[in-house]
mmCIF file of all heavy atoms in Angstrom:
data_model
loop_
_atom_site.group_PDB
_atom_site.id
_atom_site.type_symbol
_atom_site.label_atom_id
_atom_site.label_comp_id
_atom_site.label_asym_id
_atom_site.label_seq_id
_atom_site.Cartn_x
_atom_site.Cartn_y
_atom_site.Cartn_z
ATOM 1 N N PHE C 1 0.859 -1.130 0.055
ATOM 2 C CA PHE C 1 -0.028 -0.027 0.012
ATOM 3 C C PHE C 1 0.888 1.291 -0.018
ATOM 4 O O PHE C 1 1.881 1.319 0.661
ATOM 5 C CB PHE C 1 -0.925 -0.030 1.233
ATOM 6 C CG PHE C 1 -2.124 -0.904 1.086
ATOM 7 C CD1 PHE C 1 -2.080 -2.169 1.724
ATOM 8 C CD2 PHE C 1 -3.147 -0.519 0.258
ATOM 9 C CE1 PHE C 1 -3.237 -2.967 1.572
ATOM 10 C CE2 PHE C 1 -4.228 -1.400 0.107
ATOM 11 C CZ PHE C 1 -4.293 -2.599 0.771
ATOM 12 N N THR C 2 0.404 2.205 -0.789
ATOM 13 C CA THR C 2 1.237 3.517 -0.862
ATOM 14 C C THR C 2 0.564 4.655 -0.332
ATOM 15 O O THR C 2 1.081 5.727 -0.075
ATOM 16 C CB THR C 2 1.597 3.783 -2.326
ATOM 17 O OG1 THR C 2 0.357 3.904 -3.078
ATOM 18 C CG2 THR C 2 2.482 2.569 -2.863
ATOM 19 N N SER C 3 -0.890 4.675 -0.212
ATOM 20 C CA SER C 3 -1.603 5.794 0.220
ATOM 21 C C SER C 3 -2.272 5.598 1.502
ATOM 22 O O SER C 3 -2.505 4.465 1.988
ATOM 23 C CB SER C 3 -2.766 6.129 -0.917
ATOM 24 O OG SER C 3 -3.775 5.236 -0.754
ATOM 25 N N THR C 4 -2.616 6.713 2.196
ATOM 26 C CA THR C 4 -3.490 6.610 3.357
ATOM 27 C C THR C 4 -4.826 6.258 2.890
ATOM 28 O O THR C 4 -5.350 6.759 1.851
ATOM 29 C CB THR C 4 -3.544 8.036 3.988
ATOM 30 O OG1 THR C 4 -2.259 8.528 4.285
ATOM 31 C CG2 THR C 4 -4.353 8.006 5.324
ATOM 32 N N PRO C 5 -5.524 5.316 3.542
ATOM 33 C CA PRO C 5 -6.898 4.983 3.174
ATOM 34 C C PRO C 5 -7.852 6.134 3.243
ATOM 35 O O PRO C 5 -7.614 6.989 4.129
ATOM 36 C CB PRO C 5 -7.329 3.837 4.206
ATOM 37 C CG PRO C 5 -5.980 3.289 4.719
ATOM 38 C CD PRO C 5 -5.091 4.521 4.732
ATOM 39 N N VAL C 6 -8.736 6.256 2.290
ATOM 40 C CA VAL C 6 -9.754 7.323 2.358
ATOM 41 C C VAL C 6 -11.122 6.569 2.660
ATOM 42 O O VAL C 6 -11.413 5.557 2.080
ATOM 43 C CB VAL C 6 -9.824 8.128 1.108
ATOM 44 C CG1 VAL C 6 -10.261 7.207 -0.112
ATOM 45 C CG2 VAL C 6 -10.871 9.213 1.213
ATOM 46 N N VAL C 7 -11.852 7.148 3.598
ATOM 47 C CA VAL C 7 -13.222 6.574 3.969
ATOM 48 C C VAL C 7 -14.334 7.347 3.221
ATOM 49 O O VAL C 7 -14.237 8.635 3.276
ATOM 50 C CB VAL C 7 -13.396 6.564 5.509
ATOM 51 C CG1 VAL C 7 -14.689 6.086 5.903
ATOM 52 C CG2 VAL C 7 -12.298 5.747 6.160
ATOM 53 N N PHE C 8 -15.310 6.668 2.736
ATOM 54 C CA PHE C 8 -16.440 7.409 2.110
ATOM 55 C C PHE C 8 -17.678 6.543 2.280
ATOM 56 O O PHE C 8 -17.610 5.343 2.579
ATOM 57 C CB PHE C 8 -16.093 7.662 0.690
ATOM 58 C CG PHE C 8 -15.789 6.462 -0.129
ATOM 59 C CD1 PHE C 8 -16.727 5.755 -0.792
ATOM 60 C CD2 PHE C 8 -14.502 6.064 -0.219
ATOM 61 C CE1 PHE C 8 -16.491 4.612 -1.558
ATOM 62 C CE2 PHE C 8 -14.204 4.930 -1.028
ATOM 63 C CZ PHE C 8 -15.217 4.193 -1.558
ATOM 64 N N GLU C 9 -18.861 7.182 2.072
ATOM 65 C CA GLU C 9 -20.110 6.473 2.214
ATOM 66 C C GLU C 9 -20.566 6.005 0.765
ATOM 67 O O GLU C 9 -20.541 6.796 -0.148
ATOM 68 C CB GLU C 9 -21.139 7.405 2.824
ATOM 69 C CG GLU C 9 -22.470 6.733 3.167
ATOM 70 C CD GLU C 9 -23.443 6.829 1.973
ATOM 71 O OE1 GLU C 9 -23.330 7.727 1.076
ATOM 72 O OE2 GLU C 9 -24.394 5.948 1.851
ATOM 73 N N PHE C 10 -21.074 4.801 0.670
ATOM 74 C CA PHE C 10 -21.555 4.370 -0.560
ATOM 75 C C PHE C 10 -22.749 3.401 -0.394
ATOM 76 O O PHE C 10 -22.525 2.372 0.309
ATOM 77 C CB PHE C 10 -20.463 3.638 -1.405
ATOM 78 C CG PHE C 10 -20.853 3.217 -2.809
ATOM 79 C CD1 PHE C 10 -21.176 4.065 -3.722
ATOM 80 C CD2 PHE C 10 -20.961 1.854 -3.046
ATOM 81 C CE1 PHE C 10 -21.586 3.694 -5.016
ATOM 82 C CE2 PHE C 10 -21.275 1.353 -4.332
ATOM 83 C CZ PHE C 10 -21.676 2.357 -5.290
ATOM 84 N N GLN C 11 -23.936 3.728 -0.884
ATOM 85 C CA GLN C 11 -25.079 2.923 -0.768
ATOM 86 C C GLN C 11 -25.315 2.586 0.661
ATOM 87 O O GLN C 11 -25.630 1.413 1.040
ATOM 88 C CB GLN C 11 -24.976 1.634 -1.627
ATOM 89 C CG GLN C 11 -24.799 1.969 -3.154
ATOM 90 C CD GLN C 11 -24.811 0.817 -3.962
ATOM 91 O OE1 GLN C 11 -24.594 -0.358 -3.481
ATOM 92 N NE2 GLN C 11 -24.866 0.935 -5.294
ATOM 93 N N GLY C 12 -25.207 3.536 1.651
ATOM 94 C CA GLY C 12 -25.445 3.326 3.061
ATOM 95 C C GLY C 12 -24.486 2.651 3.845
ATOM 96 O O GLY C 12 -24.630 2.261 5.057
ATOM 97 N N LYS C 13 -23.266 2.331 3.201
ATOM 98 C CA LYS C 13 -22.183 1.725 3.922
ATOM 99 C C LYS C 13 -20.933 2.607 4.005
ATOM 100 O O LYS C 13 -20.751 3.414 3.029
ATOM 101 C CB LYS C 13 -21.792 0.296 3.287
ATOM 102 C CG LYS C 13 -22.903 -0.731 3.382
ATOM 103 C CD LYS C 13 -22.341 -2.002 2.821
ATOM 104 C CE LYS C 13 -23.388 -3.130 2.937
ATOM 105 N NZ LYS C 13 -22.859 -4.457 2.406
ATOM 106 N N SER C 14 -20.118 2.328 5.013
ATOM 107 C CA SER C 14 -18.870 3.057 5.026
ATOM 108 C C SER C 14 -17.827 2.158 4.245
ATOM 109 O O SER C 14 -17.743 0.991 4.495
ATOM 110 C CB SER C 14 -18.334 3.196 6.451
ATOM 111 O OG SER C 14 -19.064 4.096 7.194
ATOM 112 N N MET C 15 -17.141 2.785 3.266
ATOM 113 C CA MET C 15 -16.183 2.097 2.419
ATOM 114 C C MET C 15 -14.817 2.746 2.655
ATOM 115 O O MET C 15 -14.752 3.919 3.069
ATOM 116 C CB MET C 15 -16.596 1.988 0.990
ATOM 117 C CG MET C 15 -18.057 1.682 0.763
ATOM 118 S SD MET C 15 -18.424 -0.078 1.067
ATOM 119 C CE MET C 15 -17.563 -0.827 -0.324
ATOM 120 N N LEU C 16 -13.753 2.075 2.255
ATOM 121 C CA LEU C 16 -12.497 2.721 2.247
ATOM 122 C C LEU C 16 -11.704 2.180 1.015
ATOM 123 O O LEU C 16 -11.957 1.096 0.524
ATOM 124 C CB LEU C 16 -11.659 2.456 3.538
ATOM 125 C CG LEU C 16 -11.330 1.038 3.946
ATOM 126 C CD1 LEU C 16 -9.996 0.657 3.442
ATOM 127 C CD2 LEU C 16 -11.354 0.945 5.450
ATOM 128 N N ALA C 17 -10.825 3.082 0.556
ATOM 129 C CA ALA C 17 -10.084 2.752 -0.599
ATOM 130 C C ALA C 17 -8.584 3.116 -0.360
ATOM 131 O O ALA C 17 -8.334 4.108 0.387
ATOM 132 C CB ALA C 17 -10.647 3.488 -1.931
ATOM 133 N N ALA C 18 -7.709 2.417 -1.038
ATOM 134 C CA ALA C 18 -6.271 2.818 -1.006
ATOM 135 C C ALA C 18 -5.474 2.247 -2.231
ATOM 136 O O ALA C 18 -6.037 1.259 -2.841
ATOM 137 C CB ALA C 18 -5.646 2.151 0.284
ATOM 138 N N THR C 19 -4.307 2.897 -2.594
ATOM 139 C CA THR C 19 -3.677 2.484 -3.750
ATOM 140 C C THR C 19 -2.398 1.616 -3.329
ATOM 141 O O THR C 19 -1.974 1.646 -2.122
ATOM 142 C CB THR C 19 -3.071 3.723 -4.420
ATOM 143 O OG1 THR C 19 -2.379 4.583 -3.542
ATOM 144 C CG2 THR C 19 -4.241 4.559 -5.083
ATOM 145 N N THR C 20 -2.034 0.807 -4.235
ATOM 146 C CA THR C 20 -0.897 -0.104 -4.048
ATOM 147 C C THR C 20 0.211 0.251 -5.152
ATOM 148 O O THR C 20 -0.020 0.947 -6.081
ATOM 149 C CB THR C 20 -1.161 -1.574 -4.113
ATOM 150 O OG1 THR C 20 -2.051 -1.812 -5.314
ATOM 151 C CG2 THR C 20 -1.989 -1.989 -2.893
ATOM 152 N N ASN C 21 1.462 -0.230 -4.833
ATOM 153 C CA ASN C 21 2.607 0.141 -5.656
ATOM 154 C C ASN C 21 2.587 -0.576 -7.062
ATOM 155 O O ASN C 21 3.503 -0.417 -7.948
ATOM 156 C CB ASN C 21 3.951 -0.190 -4.966
ATOM 157 C CG ASN C 21 4.086 -1.727 -4.673
ATOM 158 O OD1 ASN C 21 3.213 -2.428 -4.816
ATOM 159 N ND2 ASN C 21 5.281 -2.038 -4.233
ATOM 160 N N ASP C 22 1.553 -1.322 -7.337
ATOM 161 C CA ASP C 22 1.402 -1.939 -8.709
ATOM 162 C C ASP C 22 0.476 -1.132 -9.510
ATOM 163 O O ASP C 22 0.058 -1.573 -10.662
ATOM 164 C CB ASP C 22 0.951 -3.375 -8.614
ATOM 165 C CG ASP C 22 -0.418 -3.512 -7.839
ATOM 166 O OD1 ASP C 22 -0.911 -2.501 -7.379
ATOM 167 O OD2 ASP C 22 -0.888 -4.602 -7.766
ATOM 168 N N GLY C 23 0.148 0.105 -9.052
ATOM 169 C CA GLY C 23 -0.653 1.067 -9.840
ATOM 170 C C GLY C 23 -2.162 0.812 -9.778
ATOM 171 O O GLY C 23 -2.852 1.235 -10.565
ATOM 172 N N LYS C 24 -2.616 -0.002 -8.821
ATOM 173 C CA LYS C 24 -4.033 -0.307 -8.711
ATOM 174 C C LYS C 24 -4.675 0.305 -7.523
ATOM 175 O O LYS C 24 -4.041 0.820 -6.577
ATOM 176 C CB LYS C 24 -4.219 -1.879 -8.543
ATOM 177 C CG LYS C 24 -3.710 -2.593 -9.804
ATOM 178 C CD LYS C 24 -3.926 -4.101 -9.650
ATOM 179 C CE LYS C 24 -3.476 -4.873 -10.895
ATOM 180 N NZ LYS C 24 -3.661 -6.410 -10.734
ATOM 181 N N LEU C 25 -6.008 0.451 -7.533
ATOM 182 C CA LEU C 25 -6.863 1.042 -6.502
ATOM 183 C C LEU C 25 -7.718 -0.156 -5.915
ATOM 184 O O LEU C 25 -8.200 -0.902 -6.682
ATOM 185 C CB LEU C 25 -7.708 2.088 -7.000
ATOM 186 C CG LEU C 25 -8.720 2.700 -5.970
ATOM 187 C CD1 LEU C 25 -7.984 3.654 -5.088
ATOM 188 C CD2 LEU C 25 -9.810 3.449 -6.756
ATOM 189 N N HIS C 26 -7.747 -0.301 -4.609
ATOM 190 C CA HIS C 26 -8.441 -1.270 -3.929
ATOM 191 C C HIS C 26 -9.506 -0.662 -3.073
ATOM 192 O O HIS C 26 -9.327 0.323 -2.330
ATOM 193 C CB HIS C 26 -7.584 -2.173 -3.070
ATOM 194 C CG HIS C 26 -6.372 -2.800 -3.764
ATOM 195 N ND1 HIS C 26 -6.386 -4.060 -4.253
ATOM 196 C CD2 HIS C 26 -5.156 -2.295 -4.170
ATOM 197 C CE1 HIS C 26 -5.258 -4.371 -4.824
ATOM 198 N NE2 HIS C 26 -4.514 -3.251 -4.822
ATOM 199 N N VAL C 27 -10.715 -1.284 -3.093
ATOM 200 C CA VAL C 27 -11.816 -0.816 -2.254
ATOM 201 C C VAL C 27 -12.344 -1.890 -1.351
ATOM 202 O O VAL C 27 -12.462 -3.060 -1.713
ATOM 203 C CB VAL C 27 -13.066 -0.325 -3.199
ATOM 204 C CG1 VAL C 27 -14.251 0.204 -2.385
ATOM 205 C CG2 VAL C 27 -12.566 0.762 -4.178
ATOM 206 N N PHE C 28 -12.612 -1.565 -0.079
ATOM 207 C CA PHE C 28 -13.038 -2.484 0.927
ATOM 208 C C PHE C 28 -14.267 -2.015 1.634
ATOM 209 O O PHE C 28 -14.519 -0.813 1.777
ATOM 210 C CB PHE C 28 -11.902 -2.697 1.996
ATOM 211 C CG PHE C 28 -10.530 -3.053 1.310
ATOM 212 C CD1 PHE C 28 -9.672 -2.044 0.980
ATOM 213 C CD2 PHE C 28 -10.232 -4.409 1.119
ATOM 214 C CE1 PHE C 28 -8.497 -2.476 0.474
ATOM 215 C CE2 PHE C 28 -9.115 -4.766 0.576
ATOM 216 C CZ PHE C 28 -8.099 -3.761 0.184
ATOM 217 N N ASP C 29 -15.093 -2.979 2.187
ATOM 218 C CA ASP C 29 -16.131 -2.688 3.126
ATOM 219 C C ASP C 29 -15.467 -2.351 4.415
ATOM 220 O O ASP C 29 -14.764 -3.170 5.047
ATOM 221 C CB ASP C 29 -17.029 -3.892 3.273
ATOM 222 C CG ASP C 29 -18.205 -3.629 4.057
ATOM 223 O OD1 ASP C 29 -18.074 -2.971 5.201
ATOM 224 O OD2 ASP C 29 -19.373 -4.023 3.791
ATOM 225 N N ALA C 30 -15.715 -1.168 4.915
ATOM 226 C CA ALA C 30 -15.028 -0.671 6.142
ATOM 227 C C ALA C 30 -15.356 -1.595 7.335
ATOM 228 O O ALA C 30 -14.572 -1.815 8.299
ATOM 229 C CB ALA C 30 -15.322 0.820 6.488
ATOM 230 N N ALA C 31 -16.580 -2.068 7.387
ATOM 231 C CA ALA C 31 -17.004 -2.859 8.599
ATOM 232 C C ALA C 31 -16.337 -4.169 8.724
ATOM 233 O O ALA C 31 -16.072 -4.655 9.779
ATOM 234 C CB ALA C 31 -18.543 -3.013 8.568
ATOM 235 N N THR C 32 -16.060 -4.788 7.499
ATOM 236 C CA THR C 32 -15.526 -6.151 7.573
ATOM 237 C C THR C 32 -14.139 -6.270 6.885
ATOM 238 O O THR C 32 -13.535 -7.262 6.985
ATOM 239 C CB THR C 32 -16.465 -7.110 6.751
ATOM 240 O OG1 THR C 32 -16.498 -6.653 5.350
ATOM 241 C CG2 THR C 32 -17.882 -7.135 7.281
ATOM 242 N N LEU C 33 -13.706 -5.207 6.164
ATOM 243 C CA LEU C 33 -12.465 -5.129 5.394
ATOM 244 C C LEU C 33 -12.537 -6.200 4.247
ATOM 245 O O LEU C 33 -11.539 -6.607 3.809
ATOM 246 C CB LEU C 33 -11.241 -5.429 6.267
ATOM 247 C CG LEU C 33 -10.963 -4.272 7.220
ATOM 248 C CD1 LEU C 33 -9.489 -4.419 7.850
ATOM 249 C CD2 LEU C 33 -10.879 -2.846 6.509
ATOM 250 N N LYS C 34 -13.718 -6.599 3.859
ATOM 251 C CA LYS C 34 -13.847 -7.503 2.805
ATOM 252 C C LYS C 34 -13.645 -6.688 1.449
ATOM 253 O O LYS C 34 -14.197 -5.714 1.176
ATOM 254 C CB LYS C 34 -15.293 -8.074 2.769
ATOM 255 C CG LYS C 34 -15.462 -9.095 1.596
ATOM 256 C CD LYS C 34 -16.944 -9.714 1.633
ATOM 257 C CE LYS C 34 -17.094 -10.605 0.455
ATOM 258 N NZ LYS C 34 -18.549 -11.146 0.482
ATOM 259 N N PRO C 35 -12.752 -7.245 0.531
ATOM 260 C CA PRO C 35 -12.597 -6.499 -0.755
ATOM 261 C C PRO C 35 -13.810 -6.444 -1.492
ATOM 262 O O PRO C 35 -14.558 -7.518 -1.643
ATOM 263 C CB PRO C 35 -11.470 -7.350 -1.383
ATOM 264 C CG PRO C 35 -10.831 -8.114 -0.296
ATOM 265 C CD PRO C 35 -11.903 -8.383 0.711
ATOM 266 N N THR C 36 -14.109 -5.324 -2.065
ATOM 267 C CA THR C 36 -15.320 -5.207 -2.979
ATOM 268 C C THR C 36 -14.955 -4.885 -4.368
ATOM 269 O O THR C 36 -15.818 -5.135 -5.261
ATOM 270 C CB THR C 36 -16.217 -4.129 -2.458
ATOM 271 O OG1 THR C 36 -15.583 -2.878 -2.391
ATOM 272 C CG2 THR C 36 -16.694 -4.464 -0.957
ATOM 273 N N ALA C 37 -13.841 -4.325 -4.623
ATOM 274 C CA ALA C 37 -13.362 -3.935 -5.995
ATOM 275 C C ALA C 37 -11.882 -3.693 -6.034
ATOM 276 O O ALA C 37 -11.308 -3.247 -5.042
ATOM 277 C CB ALA C 37 -14.132 -2.762 -6.531
ATOM 278 N N THR C 38 -11.341 -4.067 -7.194
ATOM 279 C CA THR C 38 -9.884 -3.774 -7.491
ATOM 280 C C THR C 38 -9.800 -3.279 -8.896
ATOM 281 O O THR C 38 -10.317 -3.903 -9.867
ATOM 282 C CB THR C 38 -8.998 -4.946 -7.262
ATOM 283 O OG1 THR C 38 -9.113 -5.454 -5.889
ATOM 284 C CG2 THR C 38 -7.511 -4.609 -7.605
#
């Protein structure tokens, strides 16, 4: 991971996103840290 996670609301849930050194963006469910999108 290269960035500080950012927290945001999406469809009534708290989500968080962060970037990695392979140039990708990862999105997680903040409550469970389950990956939702890459």
Side-chain angles (χ1 to χ4, degrees):
F1 283 104
T2 61
S3 72
T4 306
V6 62
V7 177
F8 57 91
E9 186 273 335
F10 183 67
Q11 296 181 350
K13 292 184 177 182
S14 291
M15 312 291 288
L16 61 92
T19 55
T20 47
N21 62 351
D22 56 1
K24 296 181 180 180
L25 177 76
H26 303 260
V27 181
F28 306 90
D29 184 319
T32 62
L33 289 190
K34 180 180 178 181
T36 61
T38 301

